[in-house]
C-alpha cells in the first residue's frame, strides 16, 4: 500500500469492514475516527473522539485531529498530525518520550491535580469539610 499525504473525511453511521487508503471514517455515533495508517503499512488506526483522547475539527474543507497520531506500537512506528486533511509527518519518538507522553495522558485522564499553593488550599478545604463541614 502506498504512503498517503491526504485523508478525506467521510462521515458514516457504521464503519466498513474494509477501510480504503486515504479515507478518514468518522462515526459521531460511536465517537471514533478510523483510517489506514498513512505510511501505507496497512494497520488500522483508531482515534477515540472523546475529551481525554482526540479532538476532531472540520476546517477549510478538511479534517484536523489533535493530538498527533503516534503509532508507536505498530511495526512502522509512524507519527503524524492530520491538519485540514493533510498528513504532516512528525519525527519518531524515543521510548523515553513515548512513556513520558503516556504518563502525561494518564494524569490528564484523572483530571488536573492541584499543585503548589493550590494543593495546600485544596488540602485545607478537605480537612475543613471533614472536621467542620
Amino acid at each position: 500500500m502506498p504512503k498517503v499525504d491526504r485523508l478525506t473525511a467521510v462521515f458514516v453511521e457504521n464503519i466498513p469492514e474494509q477501510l480504503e487508503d486515504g479515507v478518514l471514517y468518522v462515526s459521531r455515533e460511536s465517537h471514533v475516527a478510523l483510517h489506514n495508517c498513512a505510511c501505507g503499512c496497512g494497520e488500522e488506526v483508531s482515534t477515540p473522539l472523546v475529551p481525554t483522547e482526540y479532538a476532531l475539527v472540520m476546517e477549510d474543507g478538511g479534517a484536523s485531529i489533535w493530538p498527533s497520531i503516534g503509532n508507536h506500537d505498530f511495526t512502522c512506528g509512524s507519527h503524524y498530525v492530520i491538519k485540514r486533511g493533510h498528513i504532516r509527518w512528525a519525527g519518531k519518538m524515543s521510548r523515553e518520550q513515548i512513556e513520558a507522553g503516556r504518563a502525561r495522558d494518564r494524569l490528564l485522564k484523572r483530571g488536573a491535580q492541584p499543585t503548589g499553593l493550590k494543593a495546600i488550599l485544596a488540602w485545607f478545604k478537605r480537612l475543613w469539610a471533614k472536621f467542620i463541614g
Side-chain angles (χ1 to χ4, degrees), residues 31 48-55 66-67 108-109:
H31 305 284
L49 300 176
V50 295
T52 57
E53 294 286 336
Y54 290 91
W66 187 258
L108 290 174
K109 288 176 186 177

Side-chain angles (χ1 to χ4, degrees), residues 1-4 18-22 36-44:
M1 293 178 221
K3 187 176 185 178
V4 297
Q18 188 71 29
L19 304 184
E20 291 181 37
D21 291 337
N36 285 335
C37 184
C39 81
C41 70
E43 293 282 354
E44 184 178 292

Side-chain angles (χ1 to χ4, degrees), residues 109-127:
K109 288 176 186 177
R110 288 188 207 137
Q113 302 295 319
T115 59
L117 183 57
K118 287 183 180 182
I120 293 168
L121 290 174
W123 180 80
F124 274 116
K125 284 181 182 180
R126 287 192 307 274
L127 186 66

